[in-house]
């Protein structure tokens, strides 16, 4: 038995995916830059 | 009103695209991309394995028989890079791609086109990496850790670094995709604490990947600028410090170890309950143990560096933090044993590999505890004891789990049963020869044989010969695996049922075998008794 998916739910999922990707991609960039900061501060 | 529009259930409204290029190069289907990852990982497993055979052949006897020392160093370096980034990690991503959407009732990965890109970066990355073998000056040969100043001597450093950047980008995109899928595309009713442990393990692993792969990228970028752009991040003459590289590398490197083992924990937590015909013992404890191990993995990196001259306080902190990891790991091992305790177990090939995992991974864990002790580590550091330790964790741990998962889900992927006889032949050959291969290396290490050397004292000859024989036969055993896979995919007449295994529970077993090209276009209704581990909140 399958549930029904509404367009509203699909739109809400897309919004969630976009938000998740934005946050995670920002985190990845932050960690990349942090490695340089860490080295510079430890030197 | 558009919000009232609904989507009817059509599992097979359109099938796989016609044409090889369209289907495999342009695919956005999670199952096809999962298959691509798995085939790629298997190919890399055999390439990395051939490097291992070369290493063991040279070490068969003392003296230099087959290769020059620089080529030996290239083999150890590329064996590690290929096995870690080309075999183990892509295999787990392939398993995640195939199974996570089906386990949580999602139609596909959240970002299917990025999924395609994540995979197709990899063949180019590894072509680049392996092509350095044929370049003047050879490939990187300073070990997979690429410690400066040694690694800066490599004339192909730029190619190696760029290949690692590509692998990192692929991993980060894959991790983002997995997190976005799990957090946003679960079927209604599939709450976080109802998800299969394998999905949980991948969710946590994906966060680890996002946190540490950029750090590796940063570290190798600094190597690159030190070599080609005159910076002195790690150059003592310019005010830098090579030990800083080790800190930043191992800040990546230790979580990386857990990136390679946490999904294995997830797999074993699916396989054992199925063949024990019991829900997993302590579901929530298993999930929290994985999260605890992931957290602790960030605060133990310097246990790889006890001999570089750390302050005593730091050594004591990292020693105790490392030993702390044994607690959540112990929770997992005891819970697997408790799941099997008093159960109606059967011993099909996936279960045999899972049981071997529990026993042999624990041996690797115990030798890890020995290495965590600072005074003892001063003796063991850079000896074959370390080689034995991490191969027990990664071969009988990660790779055995991947093999177990392959046998477990292969009937769901292909629609055919594999040959149980040849599966068991593969298992018994693997489990015997892997121990002949790696167990004597403990003794070699304790006797003082250093790692990463092509020649050695004659005192180490016997155990090295035994280890090499084990290595050749373990390598040959994997050809049985290849044969079983090819036979199952293309020639097996024994059709699989939908559920495949009597004790199997979870959404992936509710779809036909082979799994249709599209599954769960509309979310399934979640019944608690169908959940992989039952309703743990009940």
């Amino acid at each position: 038995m399958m549930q029904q998916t509404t367009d509203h739910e699909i739109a809400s999922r897309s919004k969630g995916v976009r938000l998740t990707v934005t946050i995670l991609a920002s985190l990845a960039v932050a960690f990349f830059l942090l490695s340089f900061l860490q080295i510079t501060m430890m030197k | 009103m558009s919000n009232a529009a609904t989507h009817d259930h059509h599992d097979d409204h359109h099938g796989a695209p016609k044409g090889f290029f369209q289907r495999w190069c342009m695919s956005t289907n999670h199952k096809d991309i999962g298959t691509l990852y798995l085939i790629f990982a298997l190919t890399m497993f055999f390439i990395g394995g051939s490097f291992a055979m070369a290493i063991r052949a040279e070490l068969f006897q003392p003296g230099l028989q087959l290769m020059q020392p620089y080529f030996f160093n290239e083999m150890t370096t590329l064996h590690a890079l290929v096995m870690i980034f080309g075999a183990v990690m892509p295999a787990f991503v392939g398993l995640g791609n195939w199974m996570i959407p089906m386990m949580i009732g999602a139609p596909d990965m959240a970002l299917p086109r990025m999924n395609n890109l994540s995979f197709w970066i990899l063949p180019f990355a590894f072509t680049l990496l392996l092509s350095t073998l044929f370049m003047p000056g050879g490939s990187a040969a300073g070990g997979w850790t690429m410690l400066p100043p040694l690694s800066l001597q490599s004339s192909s450093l730029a190619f190696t670094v760029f290949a690692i950047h590509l692998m990192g980008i692929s991993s980060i995109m894959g991790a983002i995709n997995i997190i976005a899928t799990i957090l946003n595309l679960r079927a209604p009713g599939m709450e976080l604490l109802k998800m299969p442990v394998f999905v949980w393990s991948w969710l946590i692993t994906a966060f680890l990947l996002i946190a540490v792969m950029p750090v590796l990228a940063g570290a190798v970028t600094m190597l690159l600028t030190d070599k080609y752009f005159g910076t002195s991040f790690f150059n003592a003459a310019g005010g830098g410090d090579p030990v800083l590289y080790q800190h930043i590398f191992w800040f990546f490197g230790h979580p990386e170890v857990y990136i390679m083992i946490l999904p294995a924990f997830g797999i074993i937590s699916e396989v054992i309950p199925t063949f024990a015909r019991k829900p997993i013992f302590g579901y929530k404890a298993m999930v929290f143990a994985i999260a605890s191990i992931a957290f602790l993995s960030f605060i133990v990196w310097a246990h790889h560096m006890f001999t570089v001259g750390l302050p005593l306080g730091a050594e004591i902190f990292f020693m105790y933090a490392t030993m702390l990891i044994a607690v959540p790991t112990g929770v997992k091992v005891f819970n697997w044993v408790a799941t099997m305790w008093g159960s109606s177990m059967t011993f099909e090939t996936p279960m045999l590999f899972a049981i071997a995992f529990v026993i042999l991974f624990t041996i690797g864990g115990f030798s890890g505890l020995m290495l965590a002790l600072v005074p003892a580590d001063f003796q063991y550091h850079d000896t074959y004891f370390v080689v034995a330790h991490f191969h027990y964790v990664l071969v009988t741990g990660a790779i055995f789990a991947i093999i177990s998962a392959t046998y477990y889900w292969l009937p769901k992927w292909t629609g055919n049963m594999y040959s149980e006889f040849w599966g068991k032949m593969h298992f018994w050959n693997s489990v015997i020869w892997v121990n002949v291969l790696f167990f004597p290396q403990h003794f070699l290490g304790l006797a003082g044989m250093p790692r990463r050397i092509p020649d050695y004292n004659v005192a180490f000859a016997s155990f090295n010969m035994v280890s090499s024989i084990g290595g050749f036969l373990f390598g040959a055993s994997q050809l049985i695996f290849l044969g079983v896979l090819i036979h199952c995919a293309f020639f097996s007449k024994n059709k699989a049922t939908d559920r495949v295994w009597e004790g199997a529970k979870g959404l992936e077993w509710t779809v036909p075998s082979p799994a249709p090209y599209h599954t769960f276009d509309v979310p399934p209704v979640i019944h608690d008794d169908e959940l992989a581990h039952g309703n743990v909140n009940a």
Side-chain angles (χ1 to χ4, degrees):
Chain A
M1 185 180 154
M2 295 288 160
Q3 296 181 351
Q4 306 289 297
T5 312
T6 63
D7 286 352
H8 177 72
E9 283 166 340
I10 291 171
S12 152
R13 281 180 169 189
S14 303
K15 196 176 162 192
V17 169
R18 278 198 295 275
L19 183 66
T20 313
V21 172
T22 308
I23 293 170
L24 295 175
S26 312
L27 263 178
V29 172
F31 275 108
F32 178 70
L33 297 174
L34 204 63
S35 63
F36 286 89
L37 186 69
Q38 190 185 355
I39 286 291
T40 313
M41 286 173 71
M42 286 170 79
K43 269 175 78 171
Chain B
M1 186 176 142
S2 65
N3 279 358
T6 58
H7 302 260
D8 291 327
H9 167 54
H10 295 295
D11 262 354
D12 248 341
H13 55 78
H14 56 96
K18 301 281 183 290
F20 184 87
F21 182 79
Q22 278 295 321
R23 168 140 193 206
W24 297 107
C25 298
M26 307 296 281
S27 181
T28 53
N29 180 286
H30 72 100
K31 299 181 183 83
D32 279 355
I33 295 174
T35 303
L36 287 169
Y37 265 112
L38 290 169
I39 292 171
F40 177 80
L42 189 66
T43 310
M44 287 295 132
F45 177 62
F46 281 107
I47 292 175
S50 67
F51 297 159
M53 294 301 102
I55 293 167
R56 284 314 325 168
E58 178 54 51
L59 293 175
F60 190 77
Q61 284 184 328
L64 295 176
Q65 279 88 31
L66 303 170
M67 58 190 78
Q68 292 302 308
Y70 190 85
F71 184 74
F72 183 89
N73 292 341
E74 289 180 317
M75 289 293 98
T76 54
T77 304
L78 290 178
H79 166 70
L81 288 172
V82 166
M83 286 301 200
I84 292 168
F85 294 106
V88 175
M89 288 171 69
F92 282 132
V93 180
L95 292 168
N97 250 293
W98 245 105
M99 302 315 300
I100 288 172
M102 290 211 292
M103 288 173 133
I104 61 173
D108 205 307
M109 297 296 279
L111 302 140
R113 276 173 285 193
M114 193 167 87
N115 204 14
N116 175 294
L117 184 61
S118 301
F119 171 75
W120 278 107
I121 285 175
L122 283 181
F124 294 96
F126 280 89
T127 305
L128 191 64
L129 179 71
L130 294 173
S131 69
T132 58
L133 267 176
F134 306 101
M135 291 179 183
S139 75
W144 83 284
T145 52
M146 295 176 292
L147 302 184
L150 183 63
S151 64
L152 297 177
Q153 295 172 13
S154 166
S155 57
S156 57
L157 181 76
F159 293 94
T160 310
V161 166
F162 188 48
I164 288 171
H165 277 148
L166 289 175
M167 296 167 205
I169 290 167
S170 165
S171 293
I172 291 166
M173 289 198 300
I176 289 175
N177 214 342
I178 283 171
I179 295 173
T181 304
I182 296 171
L183 294 187
N184 297 288
L185 264 60
R186 298 192 312 282
M190 179 62 78
E191 295 157 19
L192 284 174
L193 275 175
K194 287 183 178 177
M195 294 193 309
V197 181
F198 177 66
V199 180
W200 258 112
S201 69
W202 240 123
L203 180 64
I204 293 165
T205 302
F207 276 106
L208 285 184
L209 276 166
I210 288 172
V212 302
M213 290 308 289
V215 177
L216 173 68
V220 294
T221 303
M222 285 181 248
L223 281 183
L224 199 67
T225 60
D226 269 11
K227 183 168 172 75
Y228 294 106
F229 299 102
T231 58
S232 297
F233 288 111
F234 311 124
N235 178 7
D241 184 353
V243 174
L244 290 182
Y245 175 86
Q246 293 197 34
H247 278 290
I248 206 158
F249 179 86
W250 286 115
F251 183 81
F252 146 80
H254 200 77
E256 170 67 18
V257 174
Y258 291 94
I259 286 165
M260 290 190 282
I261 205 65
L262 295 185
F265 289 169
I267 289 163
I268 301 306
S269 303
E270 302 303 324
V271 172
I272 287 180
T274 293
F275 295 99
R277 294 164 178 77
K278 270 172 72 182
I280 196 156
F281 184 89
Y283 168 87
K284 283 184 182 171
M286 293 300 251
V287 171
F288 293 135
I290 295 174
S292 307
I293 294 168
F295 168 74
L296 288 170
S297 75
F298 283 107
I299 55 166
V300 297
W301 77 88
H303 67 213
H304 297 269
M305 304 166 54
F306 282 151
T307 57
V308 302
L310 296 176
L312 184 62
E315 296 204 329
I316 289 172
F317 170 79
F318 283 108
M319 176 173 77
Y320 282 120
T322 304
M323 292 170 74
L324 208 55
I325 294 181
V327 177
T329 312
V331 167
K332 301 197 74 65
V333 172
F334 281 118
N335 282 9
W336 288 321
V337 174
T339 305
M340 290 187 273
W341 188 265
S343 68
S344 308
M345 274 195 291
T346 49
F347 299 95
E348 288 87 344
T349 310
M351 183 62 161
L352 289 174
F353 273 101
I355 293 171
F357 170 97
V358 174
I359 297 166
L360 299 175
F361 172 79
T362 304
I363 291 177
F366 279 132
S367 57
L369 266 179
M370 293 167 70
L371 287 161
L373 300 167
V374 175
D377 184 73
F378 271 70
Q379 302 297 316
Y380 306 146
H381 186 83
D382 258 347
T383 70
Y384 255 81
F385 190 83
V386 180
V387 178
H389 156 69
F390 69 71
H391 280 97
Y392 265 88
V393 173
L394 290 177
V395 179
T396 60
I399 288 178
F400 269 31
I402 290 165
I403 294 172
S404 173
T406 306
Y407 281 117
Y408 184 54
W409 285 311
L410 192 62
K412 180 56 64 186
W413 301 337
T414 62
N416 301 325
M417 291 305 289
Y418 62 86
S419 163
E420 196 62 52
F421 172 79
W422 285 105
K424 284 181 173 150
M425 282 292 283
H426 174 218
F427 169 75
W428 286 111
N429 273 288
S430 294
V431 82
I432 290 168
W433 300 122
V434 83
N435 282 293
V436 175
L437 165 58
F438 293 121
F439 208 80
Q441 294 181 3
H442 290 110
F443 306 135
L444 288 169
L446 292 174
M449 178 172 162
R451 54 190 290 210
R452 293 172 171 149
I453 52 161
D455 189 11
Y456 51 84
N457 191 300
V458 288
F460 306 129
S462 305
F463 279 133
N464 266 299
M465 188 178 281
V466 171
S467 181
S468 288
I469 291 168
F472 301 143
L473 292 171
F474 178 69
S477 307
Q478 304 322 305
L479 298 175
I480 303 176
F481 184 43
L482 184 64
V484 172
L485 295 179
I486 292 171
H487 176 263
C488 178
F490 300 110
F491 304 109
S492 174
K493 300 276 188 289
N494 189 3
K495 296 294 168 202
T497 59
D498 291 356
R499 188 159 296 278
V500 183
W501 312 109
E502 186 192 359
K505 283 191 168 184
L507 289 179
E508 76 268 34
W509 306 108
T510 62
V511 301
S513 299
Y517 197 65
H518 296 283
T519 38
F520 303 130
D521 277 357
V522 284
V525 173
I526 308 291
H527 300 288
D528 282 351
D529 58 346
E530 262 304 328
L531 289 170
H533 303 295
N535 183 358
V536 296
N537 298 313

